[in-house]
Amino acid sequence: MHRSPDLGRLAMTVLQPGFHGTTPPTWLRRALGAGLGGAVLFARNITDADQAAELVAALRADNPEVVVAVDEEGGVVTRMEARTGSSWPGNLALGVGGDTGRTEGVARQIGRMLARAGITLDYAPVADVNANPANPVIGIRSFGAEPGPVAAHTAAWVAGLQSTGVAACAKHFPGHGDTVTDSHHGLPAVHAPLALLHERDLPPFRAAVAAGVRALMCGHLLVPALDPEHPATFSHRMLTELLRDELGFTGLLVTDAIEMRAVAALHSPGEIAVRALAAGADAICAGVTSPDGESVLALRDAIVEAVHAGRLAESRLAQAASRVLALARWHAEATPDTGAPDHELGLAAARAALRVTASGPLPDPVLSTPPLVVDLAPRMTLAVDHDVPSGLAGALSEALPGTRSHTVTAADPRLPDLSAPGPVVLVAHDAVRHAWVADLTAEAVRLRPDLIVIETGIPGPPVGAVHIATHGVSRASFRAVAHRLT
């Protein structure tokens, strides 16, 4: 059988690895020269907007067609603004705000930020319907729990982002919302009948396709009603028959990161790449790579070997590579919107998402003296960069210098002394999911009936003298709370 003389280059084209450092390491520059088709930026690669633009330009110097991707959802998942917190609220806040025009506008501002840096592809928006309140990884990253509004906001987000010349990537197909396992740690399963999947989980992806989304990301999910044997990443039924043939998607299909335990516990990295490509994926996201890039070359070699062994059709590999290059061409031919992002729109969107409940008449301002801010900080999913600050104390300090802060973690779940004079503000996240957060919140309310409670996750019943639900974690959300209180 005839084989392409350059299978290795085709195999390199479909890889999207991460790397360490704020400049391209030597191995990455060599790989780009050898046809590496993608690179993924994380917070570890970015210090500020100017440096990010210089980094992307350096990557393109070695391969002008490289697809440079980043996870920039807004809200709690940000790479470009990991050191400050996002200027824009995340999906749940936008969904609660209820204005798809505002959602499109926020996505356009995020797109402007990425376009100014030369980014090709944003692994966003999250199109999952957060049907299970116990979901440990989606939660506030979803627009909500109802498929209709989630679909409408997904389409608006795609339109806003792509209007700037940056490709959107709706995720995590066929829907990560009804799960109780974080795919970073294990293989989630969606135990829903086929009719419910079509009614609940698939409409946002249909809406994204109809909106012209340039890319989709498949989730590491077992969905028995669609394929009882294979996770979506390895499922021809889901990635080709359902997504391509039934939903009509013709763009780039990228995997979630292959080092995630949901699939890494099942196969070697090379085997994951081969199986995903054979099932219909076009690009392999490998967020974690070896210091000298040997792991990337090993992925290339595994793909080439699979073609020679007849386990992966050369035509399938060529098709995948062509879709990567097609996305690169779309970006190169698009007219980028590099206007200055409107950060005030982020603040307005965050304000629209605030829900305030008070046990009595609400004074104005609520706070007139510097408070103690107690931050109950559960460990976030690995999708969230650990350096992203919670930020309410800093936002309050701008209006009330002298604001103090104290952070409580699950490792040492004890409240500080709350008896000192002065107001106390307690920041909780997902108290409905974390028993220790709920317990400490209840204890704090008992000790200080005048407590102000800020819930940044999925809100439960309001508690405290004043309860404010932000529906997300972002610098914009904390600025909105600070303005509301002061």
Side-chain angles (χ1 to χ4, degrees), residues 11 23 35 63 76-77 86 106 157 178 191 199 246 253 263 298 300 309 357 362 367 381 390 423 460 485:
T23 57
N63 181 359
V76 74
V77 176
S86 179
V106 166
W157 214 99
D178 188 12
H191 295 291
E199 176 185 333
E246 293 185 35
L253 178 57
V263 290
R300 176 202 63 188
T357 306
L362 201 60
L367 291 175
T381 170
S390 59
L485 292 177

Side-chain angles (χ1 to χ4, degrees), residues 183-372:
S183 47
H184 293 88
H185 304 299
L187 178 62
V190 179
H191 295 291
L194 186 60
L196 181 57
L197 294 173
H198 280 278
E199 176 185 333
R200 181 192 66 192
D201 297 87
L202 293 178
F205 294 100
R206 292 184 185 275
V209 172
V213 71
R214 292 286 165 175
L216 284 177
M217 177 181 284
C218 59
H220 299 317
L221 308 162
L222 186 66
V223 189
L226 293 171
D227 188 332
E229 296 182 21
H230 306 105
T233 311
F234 309 142
S235 174
H236 187 272
R237 165 72 187 105
M238 286 189 245
L239 302 191
T240 298
E241 296 176 25
L242 175 59
L243 181 57
R244 299 293 189 188
D245 300 342
E246 293 185 35
L247 271 63
F249 178 61
T250 59
L252 180 76
L253 178 57
V254 61
T255 70
D256 211 341
I258 62 172
E259 66 271 12
M260 295 166 66
R261 292 295 296 168
V263 290
L266 302 176
H267 302 289
S268 67
E271 185 66 12
I272 292 169
V274 168
R275 288 179 179 239
L277 289 165
D282 303 309
I284 308 299
C285 175
V288 176
T289 52
S290 55
D292 293 322
E294 305 97 325
S295 60
V296 175
L297 299 182
L299 288 173
R300 176 202 63 188
D301 294 345
I303 294 168
V304 170
E305 181 180 345
V307 174
H308 284 302
R311 299 181 55 233
L312 174 64
E314 182 179 338
S315 59
R316 170 79 272 273
L317 177 60
Q319 180 187 56
S322 71
R323 288 188 179 131
V324 174
L325 296 174
L327 183 68
R329 284 195 300 273
W330 175 84
H331 176 259
E333 294 168 1
T335 301
D337 180 354
T338 56
D342 180 4
H343 294 86
E344 291 307 305
L345 179 60
L347 179 59
R351 281 174 169 161
L354 297 185
R355 296 295 180 267
V356 182
T357 306
S359 59
L362 201 60
D364 187 19
V366 179
L367 291 175
S368 55
T369 59
L372 167 64

Side-chain angles (χ1 to χ4, degrees), residues 454-471:
I454 312 299
E455 170 58 68
T456 63
I458 304 291
V463 295
V466 179
H467 182 276
I468 301 180
T470 65
H471 301 96

Side-chain angles (χ1 to χ4, degrees), residues 11 63-64 66 70 77 91 98 107 132 174 180 187 194 305 336 374 387 390 404 416 427 460 475 485:
N63 181 359
V66 65
V70 71
V77 176
N91 283 5
N132 193 328
V180 293
L187 178 62
L194 186 60
E305 181 180 345
V374 179
D387 293 332
S390 59
R404 296 167 295 135
V427 182
R475 180 158 50 100
L485 292 177

Side-chain angles (χ1 to χ4, degrees), residues 68-82:
V68 183
V70 71
D71 272 297
E72 194 65 39
E73 299 173 11
V76 74
V77 176
T78 175
R79 310 302 188 220
M80 299 291 288
E81 298 186 294

Side-chain angles (χ1 to χ4, degrees), residues 109-182:
Q109 307 317 309
I110 292 175
R112 284 178 171 179
M113 176 176 64
L114 300 182
R116 288 161 75 94
I119 300 292
T120 315
L121 173 65
D122 186 4
Y123 291 154
V126 170
D128 305 311
V129 178
N130 196 59
N132 193 328
N135 195 312
V137 66
I138 302 302
I140 57 173
R141 299 166 64 200
S142 166
F143 289 112
E146 297 297 328
V150 173
H153 284 279
T154 295
W157 214 99
V158 167
L161 185 83
Q162 293 190 166
S163 72
T164 67
V166 177
C169 181
K171 61 187 182 185
H172 307 77
F173 183 82
H176 206 320
D178 188 12
T179 62
V180 293
T181 301
D182 184 341

